[in-house]
Amino acid sequence: MKNTVSTLLKQKQSGDKITMLTAYDYTTAKIMDECGVNAILIGDSLGMVMLGYENTLPVTMEDMVHHTAAVSRGAENAFVVADMPFMSYQVSVAEAVTNAGRLIKEGGANAVKLEGGAEVCEQIKAIVNASIPVVAHLGLTPQSVNAFGGFKVQGKSLEKAEKLINDAMKIQEAGACAVVLEGIPAKIAEIITKRLVIPTIGIGAGNGCDGQVLVYQDMLGLTTGHTAKFVRVFAQVGELMRNGISDYIAETKNGNFPAVEHTYSLDEDIVKALEKKFL
Ligand code: KIV
């Protein structure tokens, strides 16, 4: 059965941890859905892990709609959340509603996610008023990488920790149905989780959240180079892919692939006739 905002809320209330993973294409979403993941996020992290950008800032609405539609087709049961890309909701409330609407209408998402606290409450209210569920995103919000001066853990001072907690209460008041807490000390995430009625989904925010989210390339060992402290590699899929691709190259070059079982045959009489005529 399709997971909804109510499913996630009930999970918080019963203490059943919410599982969310990112996906950007049909095949991956289908596998995750079959495994029983509760929610799938089409993160604007696709800019980095799918499109090879340095950060999420160049991602466009077209990118998000395209990938969201592919994931939605593969996600039968999982709750599908689509990220609103940088500058798709900051300029005006009207633009925010229009762009959120596209992710639902054209992308088939069940909810949208946007980054920020008090400063985006008007956008959250307006999108929710258009009957579109909104997931908020606080802490190390990657679209603010330039303002933060890098990807740094947030909320380390008393003042900043208090701002995070106040922002969490404000986005709930504005109507957000859940909040992603990224790159903040576990204690702050725990306090927010206890204060809020809506579920918290953590990434680099410790074990006290109502659920967890990870970028799938990170948790399947597909990411090369630096990975964040909060990532656990659950399976070395990258290594399996490298082995498989190297084997394919070697077996093709040495003539072992394709073998007889991968080859279509032809009636012997026809073979003889063709050989007589053409060879
Ligand atoms: O874009 C993304 O993948 C995200 C998650 C890291 C929460 O926002």
Side-chain angles (χ1 to χ4, degrees):
M1 228 171 56
K2 189 74 178 170
N3 288 337
T4 64
V5 169
S6 317
T7 320
L8 303 189
L9 187 59
K10 277 189 199 134
Q11 283 187 258
K12 175 175 180 122
Q13 289 161 352
S14 67
D16 175 19
K17 293 271 190 185
I18 297 162
T19 55
M20 177 187 257
L21 284 171
T22 67
Y24 317 93
D25 68 277
Y26 168 80
T27 304
T28 311
K30 196 162 185 319
I31 292 171
M32 288 176 183
D33 197 73
E34 285 164 3
C35 288
V37 76
N38 299 129
I40 296 178
L41 170 69
I42 305 94
D44 59 356
S45 51
L46 75 84
M48 292 144 100
V49 295
M50 300 302 287
L51 304 177
Y53 298 137
E54 208 172 292
N55 54 46
T56 60
L57 304 183
V59 175
T60 64
M61 272 303 296
E62 301 314 314
D63 294 332
M64 291 309 305
V65 167
H66 178 78
H67 287 271
T68 300
V71 168
S72 295
R73 289 190 284 270
E76 200 183 316
N77 297 313
F79 186 65
V80 174
V81 182
D83 257 347
M84 299 197 66
F86 183 55
M87 283 299 135
S88 69
Y89 57 94
Q90 290 91 341
V91 177
S92 75
V93 170
E95 252 183 61
V97 178
T98 303
N99 286 324
R102 285 194 65 194
L103 292 167
I104 306 294
K105 262 177 99 91
E106 297 170 49
N110 305 121
V112 299
K113 176 167 84 58
L114 50 78
E115 298 182 6
E119 70 280 11
V120 292
C121 279
E122 285 314 308
Q123 283 89 331
I124 295 175
K125 276 184 210 163
I127 297 169
V128 171
N129 275 342
S131 302
I132 299 172
V134 176
V135 176
H137 187 161
L138 294 172
L140 199 183
T141 44
Q143 291 175 16
S144 302
V145 61
N146 288 322
F148 292 154
F151 295 103
K152 295 174 184 166
V153 174
Q154 299 296 305
K156 294 283 266 187
S157 68
L158 177 61
E159 190 193 353
K160 290 196 168 142
E162 280 187 12
K163 176 164 169 32
L164 276 174
I165 297 167
N166 285 326
D167 273 345
M169 293 194 290
K170 282 178 187 156
I171 59 95
Q172 172 172 275
E173 221 173 277
C177 67
V179 57
V180 167
L181 301 175
E182 178 166 358
I184 63 173
K187 198 69 211 174
I188 302 174
E190 198 185 307
I191 293 169
I192 292 174
T193 302
K194 284 185 181 148
R195 282 298 296 246
L196 295 191
V197 174
I198 60 171
T200 60
I201 302 175
I203 173 163
N207 207 9
C209 298
D210 298 307
Q212 297 293 323
V213 56
L214 282 174
V215 170
Y216 91 81
Q217 284 86 350
D218 290 343
M219 53 84 71
L220 292 183
L222 288 159
T223 306
T224 49
H226 170 79
T227 48
K229 175 188 167 81
F230 57 75
V231 171
R232 186 197 286 182
V233 177
F234 286 84
Q236 291 288 359
V237 176
E239 213 168 289
L240 281 177
M241 281 179 77
R242 277 190 195 88
N243 291 343
I245 292 163
S246 300
D247 273 0
Y248 161 75
I249 293 170
E251 292 285 279
T252 300
K253 287 199 179 287
N254 69 20
N256 283 341
F257 177 80
V260 177
E261 64 267 29
H262 312 118
T263 308
Y264 302 107
S265 64
L266 186 61
D267 196 84
E268 204 43 45
D269 292 346
I270 301 173
V271 173
K272 280 195 181 125
L274 289 174
E275 283 179 347
K276 194 171 166 198
K277 190 162 182 185
F278 294 105
L279 294 181

